[in-house]
């Protein structure tokens, strides 16, 4: 019964256990932050992959799959399939409207020819469009000077709906339908245009007060078709910009544009064409082709199971169109989106596990700290051990005091560490912004604190004691160095720590990986206990007579 | 049933100081009857504290070198659990330097033997009764205004009274006092001895170690220890 009382009193009456608690908390927080960000990053990759590609992909690059409409029809007959959509995927050059030196900037991009309606059913494309009316909830969170609010103020509330409609359909309908035909349009990743500046709240502001707002302009897409193993002449097409989209994956937002499927087929010479014999007699029709077919399964359907079903369908399709379509194999592949992204996802998964394993070493730090601190406490409490033995405490009972103590330190450290980790992960983007662009007041506050600390150190040095001088000097130096660092960062116009060009995503993942957090917390408690075992055994072995004589 | 409440028979104890063996007790024997107050007198280093520690099972004699008996039963034959129980219930220690736990209040220090001896299931139903017992002891020792104070806030005499209250908390059969006045001035030491005498009159068996003849003379009987052996026993006739 005495152990809880003594554990509490020993804990409450000295600072050193709280240093152990703080150390354990920092270790736990560090692991939680690192693993959460890594897991969040991996989840983002996986989720964005599925959102952007559906569950299963049938690909046959360059040459394309003939009779793809029939394949889609057969696939859609499967009970587990929600929707399918054809894609023509290729690379090209995009002439931007803004100048780069004397001429216009040319950007190397990937274009996808899509059927907007089926593509939206397979992917979350419609939701990724940026220039669209915000929901009430989103509007409430938007800044007053957000560009979307400004154009709604200037051109009426329905302007954003018109952009959204143009983005969804990839065509721009003139105000008066009698004037002109609707024009095929392009939808671009938000970072394709250098004119879109990402703001700290995640919104985008077209450069020069909104002047370089892309939906005002036209762009020219140029590509070189490849057919029958030969490279053809370049093909160009001028598109008005319908909208821009934000997938959240920087690689895609920086490089991909969407155009109507039929235009892409024409540009790549994958559209339906007559075939001729000896270039004179009409022989037949070469059907239109698509380089990919994206397939989304119904909710709850496993991608691998769906892939197997689609593979069987493709095999039947191949038999049906023997000679026109390739056999499943080296170039024609039926894959889950995860398999298609395997080269990307695999290393990240391995990296996360490596990080998790390396950071587990931190547990040894927990154990070592608790051991060292408790060793000192047992040493200090030697006489108490003798007293307790003299009133009948058993050796096991004595050791239990220190094991409880280790347990309490571990639990407190784990809970505090979780809290700290949660706060950091939850606010990691704000912290990142603040670190990258530290506010001016921070420099001032740190400088003032450094001066106050220096003055206090000078005053305390008159007492002749060394400890306050050492602590004061170290704190002053630390504050000065941090203030200087913050000043330098500000002077350089801020730094980008999480560069989206390196990490693919524009935002740092900020969801705590609860499973890993719980494992980390339990690990910290166990290793704190392990650290307490040795001092507890020493306490149990203490000779009560020697302990009572201990001064 | 043994004639003696607690006894030590031919006790040998050797301590190791570095590489040198230092014999402290060389066949010392002591026999204490129930209700007796025995003073163990001796110079510093004579082994009197060691004898007390052996009697209270806080220390063990050299292997096969002496027997400690309580109510006729050999302590060394008992299990560790029974021996812990013996220290908890049958003996109460009072030390020269009080040895109170600095983190605990006066009342918690007094209750320490009960806290050690009872698990939570046995302690909680009896908690109020135990608190009352501790308060009564402290009040009878003139410490009723000190219940929630910490040891550092007490004088030396007050600390020693708390230590005696702690030793008596579980109503032990024998009180083992090691120089209980050694760290106190004469007046305060006298008060402490009066307190012990009072407990003795109430029927408590006391074994007290001292180097001071005048203090030893407060006991019923004085046992002198010299060179690790009992050399003289003297019954005191001038009892107050």
């Amino acid at each position: 019964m005495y152990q809880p009382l003594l554990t509490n009193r020993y804990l409450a009456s000295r600072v050193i256990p709280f240093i152990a608690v703080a150390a354990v908390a920092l270790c736990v927080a560090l692991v939680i932050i690192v693993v959460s960000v890594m897991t969040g990053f991996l989840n983002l990759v996986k989720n964005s992959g599925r959102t952007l590609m559906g569950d299963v992909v049938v690909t046959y690059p360059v040459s394309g799959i003939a009779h793809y409409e029939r394949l889609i029809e057969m696939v859609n007959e499967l009970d587990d399939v929600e929707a399918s959509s054809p894609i023509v995927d290729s690379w090209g050059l995009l002439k931007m409207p803004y100048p780069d030196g004397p001429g216009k900037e040319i950007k190397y991009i990937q274009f996808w020819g899509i059927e907007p309606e089926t593509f939206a059913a397979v992917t979350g494309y419609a939701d990724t469009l940026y220039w669209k009316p915000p929901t009430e909830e989103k509007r409430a969170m938007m800044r007053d000077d957000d560009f979307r609010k400004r154009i709604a103020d200037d051109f009426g509330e329905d302007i954003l709906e018109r952009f959204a409609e143009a983005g969804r359909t990839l065509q721009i309908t003139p105000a008066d339908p009698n004037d002109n035909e609707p024009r095929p349009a392009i939808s671009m990743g938000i970072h394709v245009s250098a004119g879109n500046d990402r703001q700290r709240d995640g919104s985008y502001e077209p450069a020069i007060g909104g002047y370089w707002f892309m939906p005002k302009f036209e762009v020219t897409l140029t590509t070189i078709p490849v057919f029958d193993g030969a490279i053809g002449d370049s093909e160009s097409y001028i598109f008005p910009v319908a909208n821009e989209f934000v997938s959240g994956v920087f690689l895609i937002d920086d490089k991909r544009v969407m155009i109507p499927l039929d235009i892409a087929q024409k540009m790549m010479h994958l559209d339906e064409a007559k075939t001729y014999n000896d270039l004179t007699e009409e022989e037949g029709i070469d059907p239109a082709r698509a380089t990919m077919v994206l397939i989304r399964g119904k909710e709850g359907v496993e991608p691998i199971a769906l892939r197997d079903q689609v593979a069987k369908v493709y095999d039947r399709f191949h038999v049906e169109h023997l000679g026109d379509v390739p056999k499943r194999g080296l170039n024609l592949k039926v894959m889950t989106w995860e398999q298609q992204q395997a080269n990307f996802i695999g290393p990240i998964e391995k990296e996360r596990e490596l990080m998790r394993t390396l950071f587990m070493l931190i547990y040894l730090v927990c154990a070592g700290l608790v051991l060292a601190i408790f060793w000192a406490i047992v040493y200090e409490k030697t006489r108490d051990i003798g007293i307790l033995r003299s009133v009948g405490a058993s050796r096991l009972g004595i050791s239990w005091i220190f094991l409880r103590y280790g347990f309490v330190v571990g639990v407190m450290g784990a809970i505090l560490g979780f809290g700290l980790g949660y706060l950091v992960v939850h606010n990691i983007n704000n912290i990142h912004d603040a670190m990258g662009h530290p506010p001016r007041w921070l420099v001032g506050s740190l400088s003032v604190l450094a001066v106050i600390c220096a003055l206090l150190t000078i005053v305390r040095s008159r007492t002749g004691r060394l400890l306050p001088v050492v602590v004061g000097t170290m704190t002053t130096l630390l504050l000065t160095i941090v203030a200087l660092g913050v000043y330098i960062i500000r002077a350089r116009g801020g730094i980008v720590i999480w560069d989206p060009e390196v990490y693919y995503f524009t935002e740092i993942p900020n969801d705590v990986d609860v499973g890993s957090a719980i494992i980390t917390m339990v690990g910290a408690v166990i290793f704190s206990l392990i650290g307490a075992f040795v001092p507890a055994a020493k306490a149990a072995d203490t000779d009560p007579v020697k302990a009572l004589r201990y001064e | 049933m043994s004639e003696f409440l607690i006894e030590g028979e031919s006790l040998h104890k050797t301590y190791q100081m570095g590489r040198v063996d230092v014999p402290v007790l060389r066949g010392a024997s002591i026999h204490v009857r129930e209700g007796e107050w025995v003073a163990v007198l001796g110079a510093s280093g004579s082994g009197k504290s060691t004898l007390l520690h052996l009697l209270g099972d806080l220390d063990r004699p050299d292997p096969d070198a002496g027997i400690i008996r309580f109510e006729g039963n050999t302590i060394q034959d008992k299990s560790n659990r029974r021996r812990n129980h013996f220290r908890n219930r049958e003996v109460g220690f009072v030390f020269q330097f009080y040895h109170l736990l600095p983190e605990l209040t006066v009342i918690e220090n007094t209750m320490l033997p009960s806290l050690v001896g009872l698990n939570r299931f046995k302690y909680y139903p009896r908690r109020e009764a135990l608190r009352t017992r501790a308060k009564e002891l402290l009040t009878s020792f003139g410490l009723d205004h000190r219940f929630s104070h910490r040891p550092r806030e007490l004088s030396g005499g007050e600390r020693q009274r708390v230590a005696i209250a702690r030793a008596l908390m579980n109503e032990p059969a024998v009180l083992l006092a090691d120089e209980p006045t050694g760290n106190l001035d004469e007046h305060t030491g006298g008060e402490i001895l009066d307190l012990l005498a009072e407990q003795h009159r109430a029927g408590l068996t006391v074994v007290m170690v001292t180097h001071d003849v005048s203090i030893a003379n407060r006991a019923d009987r004085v046992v002198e220890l010299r060179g690790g052996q009992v050399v003289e026993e003297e019954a005191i006739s001038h009892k107050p």
Side-chain angles (χ1 to χ4, degrees):
Chain A
M1 189 50 226
Y2 60 103
Q3 292 103 336
L5 179 68
L6 284 176
T7 304
N8 293 347
R9 292 296 162 82
Y10 284 173
L11 202 62
S13 62
R14 42 186 43 76
V15 176
I16 198 161
F18 290 100
I19 294 173
V21 170
V24 173
L26 281 176
C27 292
V28 168
L30 195 60
V31 176
I32 288 176
I33 293 165
V34 170
V35 174
S36 291
V37 170
M38 291 290 286
T39 305
F41 182 54
L42 195 61
N43 289 341
L44 271 181
V45 171
K46 288 182 171 178
N47 290 337
S48 61
R50 187 164 188 253
T51 307
L52 296 166
M53 300 189 70
D55 293 308
V56 174
V57 189
V58 181
T59 71
Y60 189 48
V62 186
S63 302
I65 308 159
H67 309 292
Y68 64 86
E69 297 97 333
R70 174 63 187 145
L71 176 64
I72 286 172
E73 193 183 315
M74 290 168 76
V75 167
N76 283 348
E77 281 169 9
L78 290 171
D79 289 340
D80 287 345
V81 169
E82 181 77 42
S84 311
S85 185
I87 303 285
V88 166
D89 170 21
S90 192
W91 295 88
L93 299 171
L94 195 68
K95 188 155 92 173
M96 303 302 291
Y98 47 81
D100 177 30
K104 305 280 186 197
E105 182 176 324
I106 305 285
K107 191 150 177 168
Y108 170 63
I109 51 92
Q110 179 193 33
F111 66 89
W112 271 21
I114 61 168
E115 266 181 14
E117 202 175 320
T118 57
F119 184 67
V122 172
T123 66
Y125 167 69
D127 295 332
T128 63
L129 292 171
Y130 186 73
W131 306 111
K132 63 173 185 271
T135 58
E136 281 304 316
E137 193 186 349
K138 236 180 186 167
R139 178 181 285 276
M141 290 167 68
M142 279 161 60
R143 283 179 293 110
D144 287 340
D145 62 342
D146 189 294
F147 188 72
R148 287 165 292 183
K149 276 189 180 171
R150 278 167 28 216
I151 54 173
D153 290 345
D154 292 347
F155 300 100
E157 283 294 327
D158 66 333
I159 186 85
L160 285 170
E161 185 46 53
R162 278 169 48 204
F163 287 132
E165 179 63 17
R168 282 195 294 268
T169 56
L170 289 185
Q171 64 178 18
I172 291 175
T173 312
D176 182 357
N178 296 323
D179 282 357
N180 279 306
E181 290 287 304
R183 277 186 74 189
I186 190 168
S187 172
M188 308 194 302
I190 196 97
H191 289 284
V192 170
S193 161
N196 287 323
D197 289 334
R198 189 169 189 272
Q199 307 298 296
R200 287 171 68 180
D201 64 350
S203 66
Y204 289 89
E205 172 78 19
I208 317 184
Y211 178 78
W212 290 112
F213 175 52
M214 282 299 117
K216 284 195 323 198
F217 298 96
E218 291 180 340
V219 292
T220 306
L221 174 64
T222 302
T223 187
I224 298 172
V226 178
F227 53 95
D228 295 339
I231 296 171
D233 295 332
S234 66
E235 297 276 352
S236 294
Y237 200 97
I238 299 169
F239 292 100
V241 178
N243 208 320
E244 291 169 289
F245 61 84
V246 184
S247 71
V249 183
F250 184 79
L251 273 183
I252 288 171
D253 294 341
D254 184 50
K255 283 278 179 288
R256 190 174 292 172
V257 298
M258 308 290 183
I259 60 171
L261 180 70
D262 55 337
I263 307 279
Q265 285 172 326
K266 275 183 193 141
M267 292 181 78
M268 295 306 296
H269 295 194
L270 293 173
D271 53 337
E272 190 178 277
K274 290 173 184 168
T275 57
Y276 294 91
N277 190 3
D278 290 338
L279 301 176
T280 51
E281 285 178 41
E282 195 176 315
E283 192 182 53
I285 299 284
D286 187 16
R289 292 158 190 263
T291 57
M292 286 197 290
V293 173
L294 309 183
I295 301 147
R296 172 168 287 270
K298 286 195 171 141
E299 206 54 49
V301 174
E302 280 298 313
I304 290 175
L306 187 64
R307 178 202 62 188
D308 295 344
Q309 290 184 54
V310 172
K312 281 180 188 162
V313 168
Y314 186 85
D315 291 343
R316 281 197 284 120
F317 169 72
H318 172 245
V319 172
E320 205 176 275
H321 296 278
L322 214 55
D324 281 352
V325 296
K327 200 176 171 189
R328 215 155 39 88
L330 197 64
N331 287 327
L332 192 138
K333 288 181 181 157
V334 180
M335 294 179 286
T336 63
W337 61 270
E338 218 166 343
Q339 285 171 321
Q340 214 208 6
Q341 303 273 314
N343 289 343
F344 187 51
I345 293 172
I348 299 173
E349 266 175 345
K350 285 193 176 67
E351 197 179 332
R352 180 184 62 166
E353 293 318 309
L354 185 70
M355 292 289 274
R356 207 200 291 264
T357 310
L358 285 175
F359 273 87
M360 291 294 169
L361 291 176
I362 279 182
Y363 288 147
L364 296 180
V365 178
C366 285
L369 271 167
V370 171
L371 192 151
I373 289 171
F374 281 27
W375 188 271
I377 292 171
V378 168
Y379 197 71
E380 187 196 336
K381 287 287 152 199
T382 299
R383 198 160 64 181
D384 287 17
I385 295 166
I387 296 166
L388 289 164
R389 296 279 283 145
S390 76
V391 294
S394 66
R395 294 172 62 196
L396 210 63
I398 298 284
S399 61
W400 186 229
I401 295 173
F402 295 95
L403 286 180
R404 282 181 67 98
Y405 206 171
F407 181 74
V408 171
V409 165
V411 168
M412 285 174 71
I415 293 170
L416 277 175
F418 178 79
L420 182 64
Y422 179 84
L423 277 178
V424 170
V425 173
H426 203 63
N427 296 295
I428 197 156
N429 286 294
N430 292 335
I431 294 169
H432 172 256
D433 283 348
M435 284 170 74
H437 304 277
R440 187 193 300 270
W441 59 261
L442 191 61
V443 183
S445 307
L446 286 168
S447 308
V448 169
L449 276 175
V451 170
I452 290 171
C453 202
L455 289 173
L456 280 174
T457 308
I458 292 165
V459 172
R460 294 299 296 276
S461 68
R462 290 179 185 174
T463 61
R465 291 176 60 215
L466 192 59
L467 185 65
V469 176
V470 170
V471 173
T473 308
M474 283 170 67
T475 315
T476 308
L477 275 176
L478 187 72
L479 287 166
T480 310
I481 290 167
V482 174
L484 204 63
V486 171
Y487 175 77
I488 290 169
I489 290 172
R490 276 194 63 80
R492 292 180 59 179
I495 52 167
V496 177
I497 301 163
W498 178 275
D499 185 351
E501 292 189 35
V502 177
Y503 295 102
Y504 310 107
F505 295 98
T506 45
E507 292 219 329
I508 309 171
N510 64 348
D511 281 330
V512 172
D513 179 1
V514 177
S516 294
I518 290 170
I519 293 169
T520 308
M521 289 168 76
V522 171
V525 175
I526 290 171
F527 276 81
S528 297
L529 268 176
I530 290 172
F533 265 118
V534 176
K538 175 183 156 60
D541 283 347
T542 303
D543 180 345
V545 173
K546 283 184 187 166
L548 288 168
R549 286 180 180 153
Y550 178 81
E551 289 296 328
Chain B
M1 191 68 183
S2 170
E3 181 189 349
F4 301 104
L5 177 69
I6 191 164
E7 54 192 313
E9 191 72 52
S10 304
L11 298 171
H12 290 258
K13 181 69 187 175
T14 307
Y15 286 116
Q16 211 164 13
M17 308 287 251
R19 291 181 181 177
V20 182
D21 285 343
V22 180
V24 180
L25 293 181
R26 306 173 192 218
S29 297
I30 184 169
H31 306 271
V32 182
R33 288 185 179 82
E34 189 171 358
E36 228 188 341
W37 181 354
V38 176
V40 179
L41 185 67
S44 291
S46 60
K48 51 191 190 302
S49 290
T50 302
L51 179 64
L52 202 73
H53 292 152
L54 292 178
L55 287 177
D57 196 35
L58 203 56
D59 205 352
R60 297 177 184 204
D62 295 338
D64 304 320
I67 293 169
I68 314 287
R69 289 193 202 91
F70 179 74
E71 293 178 335
N73 301 313
T74 304
I75 297 287
Q76 292 102 307
D77 291 346
K78 293 179 186 292
S79 65
N80 282 336
R81 195 168 147 268
R82 299 293 306 165
R83 292 168 77 159
N84 290 336
H85 184 262
F86 166 74
R87 283 201 309 280
N88 182 249
R89 305 294 307 183
E90 307 296 358
V91 298
F93 277 101
V94 176
F95 302 100
Q96 180 182 352
F97 295 104
Y98 333 121
H99 289 339
L100 302 174
L101 296 186
E103 278 85 5
L104 303 189
T105 62
V106 163
I107 198 152
E108 286 164 346
N109 264 296
T110 308
M111 290 173 72
L112 191 62
S114 300
L115 291 166
V116 168
L118 300 172
N119 63 35
R120 69 182 63 204
F121 301 108
K122 288 181 180 167
Y123 171 76
Y124 278 111
R126 300 176 59 193
R127 187 172 52 174
E128 280 314 308
L130 292 169
R131 281 188 79 83
T132 307
R133 158 94 182 138
K135 282 180 180 175
E136 281 171 1
L137 271 171
L138 290 168
T139 305
S140 69
F141 292 174
L143 293 168
D144 49 332
H145 59 300
R146 295 293 205 181
F147 291 163
S148 54
H149 286 220
R150 297 288 163 99
R152 63 174 178 274
E153 297 164 327
L154 307 182
S155 68
E158 285 174 323
R159 290 183 201 186
Q160 195 59 298
R161 279 184 276 165
V162 176
I164 295 170
R166 179 182 67 192
L168 298 175
M169 180 68 198
N170 279 351
E171 300 178 71
V174 57
L175 186 81
L176 303 172
D178 187 359
E179 300 269 15
T181 60
N183 207 33
L184 302 171
D185 61 51
E186 196 179 332
H187 174 72
T188 314
E191 285 176 354
I192 294 298
L193 289 173
D194 290 346
L195 215 144
L196 290 179
E198 195 181 309
Q199 296 300 320
H200 170 55
R201 277 198 299 277
L204 183 69
T205 306
V206 180
V207 180
M208 178 182 73
V209 158
T210 182
H211 65 278
D212 189 325
V213 178
S214 64
I215 291 170
N217 285 342
R218 297 284 299 262
D220 295 340
R221 183 157 61 94
V222 177
V223 171
E224 192 172 350
L225 204 59
R226 204 180 298 157
Q229 289 182 315
V230 174
V231 292
E232 199 175 328
E233 291 203 22
E234 180 195 353
I236 311 289
S237 55
H238 48 84
K239 290 283 293 170

